[in-house]
Amino acid sequence: MGQTNGASRSNSAMKLTVVCSALALVLCFGWASADGCPTFPEVAEILIKGTAQKYLESIQCFQPDETMEAAGKLLKEQVDVLSNVTKMDIMRLMEKILTAN
């Protein structure tokens, strides 16, 4: 049972790493947003709390290519399997990061 728990933690850590890395990419693209595009915090909130369709709609104004859109879809799938507690912790972390400067 110890191995299963360790493997589960490793898998969760890997998922969280993927999510955080993808969020960093979204952050980079968020600064270049055009008028009418959602801000990074809005996109992040939709990513964490919204539906897959709403998230994909929210990133369209950034004109993602097919691979970026596919990555966004995968990101949303990974976020959706996180616990609500983890999702809220991620939101709190992003708030801290965005308000730090």
Side-chain angles (χ1 to χ4, degrees), residues 19-94:
V19 168
C20 290
S21 297
L23 285 174
L25 289 174
V26 172
L27 177 61
C28 291
F29 287 108
W31 299 128
S33 64
D35 289 335
C37 284
T39 63
F40 171 73
E42 292 168 336
V43 172
E45 185 169 354
I46 294 168
L47 173 65
I48 301 289
K49 298 178 180 179
T51 64
Q53 181 176 344
K54 183 70 175 167
Y55 172 68
L56 291 174
E57 288 172 4
S58 74
I59 64 171
Q60 288 308 306
C61 66
F62 300 104
Q63 301 174 337
D65 61 30
E66 286 181 29
T67 57
M68 293 168 67
E69 193 167 327
K73 199 174 201 178
L74 178 61
L75 172 62
K76 180 61 178 149
E77 289 170 5
Q78 294 297 312
V79 168
D80 284 348
V81 299
L82 297 173
S83 72
N84 286 335
V85 171
T86 300
K87 290 177 186 179
M88 292 304 104
D89 288 342
I90 291 170
M91 290 295 294
R92 287 186 20 237
L93 174 61
M94 287 188 293

